[in-house]
Amino acid sequence: MSPASRKPRRPPTKERPIRRIAINTGGGDAPGLNAVIRAVTISALNRGWEVLGIRDGYSGIMDPENYPEGGVLQLTRNRVSGITNHGGTILGTTNRGSPLHYPTRMRDGRIVVRDRTDDLVQALRRHRIDGLVAIGGDGSLSIAAALAAKGVRVVGVPKTIDNDLDKTVVTFGFDSAVTFATEAIDRLHSTAQAHHRVMVVEVMGRYAGWIALNAGVSGGAHAILIPEIPYDLKLVAAALRERFRQGRPYAVVVVAEGARPRGGMHSVLEREVGRSERLGGVGLKVTKDLQAALKREARCVVLGHLLRGGSPTTGDRLLSLRFGAAAVRALSTGHWGVMVALDPPVVRYVPLADATRRMKTVPLDSDTMLTARELGVSFGD
Ligand code: F6P
């Protein structure tokens, strides 16, 4: 990885100078998207570049007929003024219709997926876009890697509340999600205690347990179930029973949406061609099973999309602004096909292909895991 502040590895090329760049936001939204958009826009305008924002992932330029008022926004200083602390994205986003796996209905009614990245490259050319900043998670950055392989000057910015992107210590959005989840867990302690109940909190995170682990440990949860450790409910119940026996007759259990029982599968709510499966339901299952096993009232709270909403924390704002500025620095120094990545204390560039090769899950020997174990948290193993 090369530091974003030093000279790039890629030597200056004879590419035509950048005059116009585009920004897009793809996948699920995360607090900090608008801060990245602002940093990219101002850094680019300061270099004399023009900045366009593509609406709803790439839909604004791939399906312009759906945007009578234009699928592309001219990003000016006024347009990005005062948005650093705003949740969501002023460009809109989508986790449907990936150009890599674009769902298309066949004559016989079947829906198949096809690669539309060539159409996308053409669309970028039609808009005379010389450089692209793609803000997104694994799906969006895989599209960016495919575009880079086709010669598009693209720099990726790692976004996801799930923190499951490799090659960066953290993604923006994660801190805001964990902060909110921790506050929710804090609040559940008193009602659990008042009613002598078990409160189960389901949090997002897909196949990685980062949100559950960090919020669970910070919020003093008594059991944390993560996808990396298939759980045995009997062991969770035994740990809670022991806690009750010691005179603390209530408990808070954090369950990652991708958690699964030993020998079982994760709970899927919905499957659709060309889209990631929607996870959910495990919190309710754990709640019912614990109520039956412990003969004690249990309630389930699903935090879901609340984790994606609201203002970014200070940490996420600063990280997003740093990522946005570094992305423009990369383009201006002829460095592309990379993702900006946090490697404290610096922001570095890593090849997009490396960043999207594997999912970053919780290492079972990490310090946070060891801390949780020292504190007596049950993982159901
Ligand atoms: O990737 C972020 C994420 O928040 C996951 O944790 C969750 O499974 C998914 O998005 C849900 O996305 P949506 O409901 O928008 O399809």
Side-chain angles (χ1 to χ4, degrees), residues 88 115 181 188 229-230 235 238 241 305 320 331:
D115 184 344
L188 291 171
I229 307 177
L235 297 178
R241 222 176 269 120
H305 296 80
S320 304
L331 284 173

Side-chain angles (χ1 to χ4, degrees), residues 95 161-162 204-206 257 275 305 308:
N95 46 20
I161 64 163
D162 303 339
M204 283 186 171
R206 297 199 71 76
E257 64 178 354
R275 262 191 111 175
H305 296 80
R308 299 215 310 230

Side-chain angles (χ1 to χ4, degrees), residues 61-62 114-124 126:
I61 55 170
M62 288 187 69
R114 65 192 172 98
D115 184 344
R116 282 193 67 197
T117 47
D118 282 337
D119 296 344
L120 177 53
V121 173
Q122 291 306 323
L124 290 167
R126 267 199 308 280

Side-chain angles (χ1 to χ4, degrees), residues 27-30 95 137-138 159-162 164 203-207 211 257 270 275-280 304-305 307-308:
D29 67 322
N95 46 20
D138 54 344
K159 164 242 65 169
T160 165
I161 64 163
D162 303 339
D164 59 356
V203 296
M204 283 186 171
R206 297 199 71 76
Y207 312 106
I211 299 177
E257 64 178 354
E270 200 182 352
R275 262 191 111 175
S276 310
E277 57 190 11
R278 271 186 68 212
L279 301 179
H305 296 80
L307 296 171
R308 299 215 310 230

